[in-house]
Amino acid sequence: MAVGVSNLQFVDMNSTRNLFVFGVSVMLGSMIPSWLGQHPAAINTGAPVTILLTLTLQGFPSPSLSVPSSSFRPS
């Protein structure tokens, strides 16, 4: 995040559009992980691999989710 914020020195922060984009990205970047932490079952794609990958990328690996070994067998 530091690299992204350091690049703001080259951006016109007097522009309402730039302020809006920066504000929304910071707010969503803090709200989505918090919401997923409170509602881990909200992501239900039906594919255990996808659910586990999505939660892991968000920083919330769930030990209650197990990926069946049959998902990795070539068909």
Side-chain angles (χ1 to χ4, degrees):
M1 183 168 160
V3 173
V5 173
S6 69
N7 283 329
L8 289 176
Q9 65 182 332
F10 303 113
V11 177
D12 178 19
M13 292 308 284
N14 292 324
S15 167
T16 307
R17 179 189 62 134
N18 292 342
L19 285 173
F20 176 78
V21 169
F22 178 70
V24 167
S25 64
V26 168
M27 290 299 294
L28 288 178
S30 62
M31 288 171 43
I32 291 175
S34 174
W35 185 81
L36 283 175
Q38 295 172 2
H39 305 91
I43 299 175
N44 187 6
T45 62
V49 175
T50 307
I51 296 169
L52 190 59
L53 177 66
T54 305
L55 289 175
T56 303
L57 290 175
Q58 286 294 325
F60 297 109
S62 176
S64 64
L65 279 177
S66 61
V67 178
S69 59
S70 63
S71 299
F72 296 108
R73 291 186 189 149
S75 29

